[in-house]
Amino acid sequence: MQLITDKKIILASESPRRKELFSSLGIPFEVQPSGVIEELDGIYTPEEMAIGIADLKASTIAHRNPNAIVIAADTTVRLGSELLSKPKNNEQAKKFLRLLSGKVHNVITGVSILGQDVSIAFAESTLVKFYELTDEEIDAYVETGDSLDKAGGYGIQTMGGLFVENVQGDYNNVVGLPISRLYRTLLNLGVIEFAKEKSK
């Protein structure tokens, strides 16, 4: 299966994980980090928060690139009524992991797609259950430095995945980009299409 596009596509992200996932589509794209502060004033649901920040990232890059299709994403973790975004320091990362220990939490990624005649956003949710964690393993993991740039203080695709008992939903959504849903959305929008096979 080969996908093609005649659009200029920009991924508004500095995340190497999102870049790697988007690369799986096999289409050309650029990376332009938005540099926006990942915060919104006001009261929002987790889905609204993730979409709102993704919209902010996408609109910042779309303003500079009016002829491009811009894709942005933002991931947050919800435990009960509490939102756990990227920890500000190691102590907060340890606090997050202690809260997640032995519990089921929801990982929500908002995706925004902006461009000429294109404006669509959605949120994907995945349930993740952690094993009971010891203080020793929490401390050892946080000391690796892996926690600080990841929502909830862990990366499922790195050693943080050792804490995960099970996942219900899209694994890639937990990594940071629900690439399957994004692929289908881009296909439905006509941004990407299948390459036609040459007749023999």
Side-chain angles (χ1 to χ4, degrees):
M1 182 172 79
Q2 183 181 357
L3 297 169
I4 58 173
T5 183
D6 60 358
K7 314 289 186 186
K8 177 182 179 181
I9 296 180
I10 299 174
L11 182 65
S13 177
E14 60 186 353
S15 165
R17 301 171 295 280
R18 291 192 179 116
K19 180 181 178 182
E20 183 179 358
L21 285 168
F22 197 79
S23 296
S24 67
L25 294 178
I27 57 174
F29 69 100
E30 298 177 15
V31 172
Q32 291 188 28
S34 66
V36 302
I37 297 174
E38 298 180 8
E39 294 178 0
L40 291 178
D41 293 328
I43 300 173
Y44 302 91
T45 67
E47 290 78 10
E48 289 170 342
M49 179 74 75
I51 288 173
I53 294 174
D55 274 338
L56 190 60
K57 293 177 181 178
S59 60
T60 300
I61 299 302
H63 181 71
R64 302 176 202 157
N65 300 270
N67 297 318
I69 300 293
V70 180
I71 298 164
D74 185 74
T75 301
T76 191
V77 168
R78 179 173 62 83
L79 179 66
S81 60
E82 190 167 1
L83 288 184
L84 310 179
S85 54
K86 295 176 182 176
K88 294 179 172 60
N89 51 51
N90 281 358
E91 287 310 306
Q92 190 174 46
K94 291 176 184 179
K95 176 186 174 184
F96 285 178
L97 292 171
R98 290 189 190 102
L99 287 172
L100 296 174
S101 174
K103 298 187 181 73
V104 175
H105 60 274
N106 199 1
V107 180
I108 300 149
T109 298
V111 176
S112 177
I113 306 168
L114 288 180
Q116 286 185 325
D117 302 319
V118 175
S119 178
I120 190 169
F122 63 85
E124 184 74 17
S125 297
T126 303
L127 292 176
V128 179
K129 183 180 180 184
F130 265 25
Y131 287 104
E132 294 282 351
L133 307 180
T134 65
D135 285 343
E136 183 181 20
E137 60 189 337
I138 289 173
D139 291 348
Y141 174 64
V142 170
E143 288 305 314
T144 67
D146 192 53
S147 293
L148 294 182
D149 67 336
K150 296 174 179 65
Y154 75 97
I156 196 170
Q157 74 285 356
T158 58
M159 290 193 75
L162 299 176
F163 301 158
V164 175
E165 183 173 346
N166 62 63
V167 174
Q168 295 180 45
D170 185 350
Y171 169 89
N172 290 323
N173 188 54
V174 186
V175 178
L177 191 67
I179 191 65
S180 297
R181 185 169 175 184
L182 177 57
Y183 147 73
R184 294 182 185 282
T185 303
L186 293 175
L187 202 61
N188 290 335
L189 290 171
V191 174
I192 59 176
E193 60 182 355
F194 295 110
K196 295 181 175 62
E197 293 185 13
K198 294 179 180 179
S199 56
K200 297 180 181 178

